[in-house]
């Protein structure tokens, strides 16, 4: 009898834990997403992909230099497509010192959001966090579609396929 109660208690804690984790995921909403990546889980504390560390040369339309931060969900994605919940945040700089921040662009993998374009929710923010473009901007999709085999990710190549979660 005691074992049943212990198993039931563990099951309840697991369900509560899953609920808390799911509640922490931001909605595909630019204002809520900005608060999440700047306050809830500050993106500048996340990691870099091993093949794209720190300040790197960039290209139009993002600017001549950038840093790309990836949350744990994305870093744990070993193959394309990236796991749902992956967040990729790119600081776009106008100088090689990484001091002239021009924009912050985000890719957020949301199950069922936009299956035709890898389920990515896209946002371009000003440095202050005002969303200039968001959702499924055709310009973002058209450019990133050249990397569909890498799940629309331009700066990191996964290789094979992985099952989506």
């Amino acid at each position: 009898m005691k074992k049943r109660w212990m198993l039931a208690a563990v099951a309840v804690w697991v369900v509560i834990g899953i609920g808390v984790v799911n509640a922490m995921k931001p909605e595909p909403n630019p204002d809520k997403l900005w608060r999440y990546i700047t306050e809830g889980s500050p993106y500048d504390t996340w990691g870099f992909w091993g093949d794209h560390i720190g300040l790197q040369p960039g290209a139009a339309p993002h600017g001549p230099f950038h840093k790309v931060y990836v949350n744990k969900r994305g870093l744990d994605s070993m193959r394309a497509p990236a796991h749902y919940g992956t967040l990729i945040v790119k600081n776009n700089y106008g100088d090689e010192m990484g001091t002239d921040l021009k924009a912050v662009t985000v890719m957020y993998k949301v199950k069922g959001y936009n299956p035709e374009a890898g389920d990515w929710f896209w946002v371009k923010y000003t440095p202050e966090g005002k969303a200039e473009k968001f959702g499924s901007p055709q310009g973002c999709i058209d450019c990133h579609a050249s990397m569909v085999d890498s799940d629309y990710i331009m700066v990191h190549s996964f290789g094979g396929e992985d099952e989506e979660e």
Side-chain angles (χ1 to χ4, degrees):
M1 185 74 154
K2 191 176 185 180
K3 285 184 180 180
R4 282 188 187 162
W5 283 107
M6 287 177 58
L7 287 173
V10 168
V12 167
W13 281 110
V14 167
V15 169
I16 289 171
I18 290 170
V20 168
V21 168
N22 285 334
M24 291 170 45
K25 289 182 184 176
E27 294 177 36
N29 168 294
D31 295 329
K32 290 179 181 181
L33 185 57
W34 181 258
R35 279 193 300 279
Y36 180 80
I37 66 172
T38 58
E39 298 171 17
S41 179
Y43 72 87
D44 61 357
T45 66
W46 301 350
F48 300 109
W49 277 306
D51 57 351
H52 206 81
I53 298 172
L55 192 66
Q56 297 287 319
H62 294 283
F65 296 93
H66 63 253
K67 283 186 187 176
V68 178
Y69 300 89
V70 185
N71 71 348
K72 183 172 179 359
R73 197 81 179 122
L75 292 174
D76 287 346
S77 299
M78 303 309 290
R79 296 184 185 99
H83 296 303
Y84 287 110
T86 293
L87 276 160
I88 303 165
V89 179
K90 180 186 280 188
N91 279 356
N92 303 282
Y93 297 101
D95 68 331
E96 63 187 41
M97 301 301 292
T99 57
D100 183 23
L101 183 63
K102 296 292 189 185
V104 178
T105 51
V106 178
M107 291 175 65
Y108 177 31
K109 185 107 171 161
V110 180
K111 189 168 189 159
Y113 179 76
N114 183 7
E116 298 80 26
D119 277 338
W120 290 104
F121 174 77
W122 315 73
V123 187
K124 177 183 179 186
Y125 295 104
T126 65
E128 298 77 31
K130 180 180 181 233
E132 294 184 326
K133 296 179 184 178
F134 61 90
S136 303
Q138 199 59 53
C140 299
I141 293 168
D142 289 347
C143 185
H144 284 253
S146 67
M147 296 301 290
V148 72
D149 290 343
S150 288
D151 198 19
Y152 294 80
I153 297 169
M154 305 286 284
V155 299
H156 175 69
S157 181
F158 293 105
E161 292 186 18
D162 198 2
E163 57 189 72
E164 297 180 26
E165 296 180 6

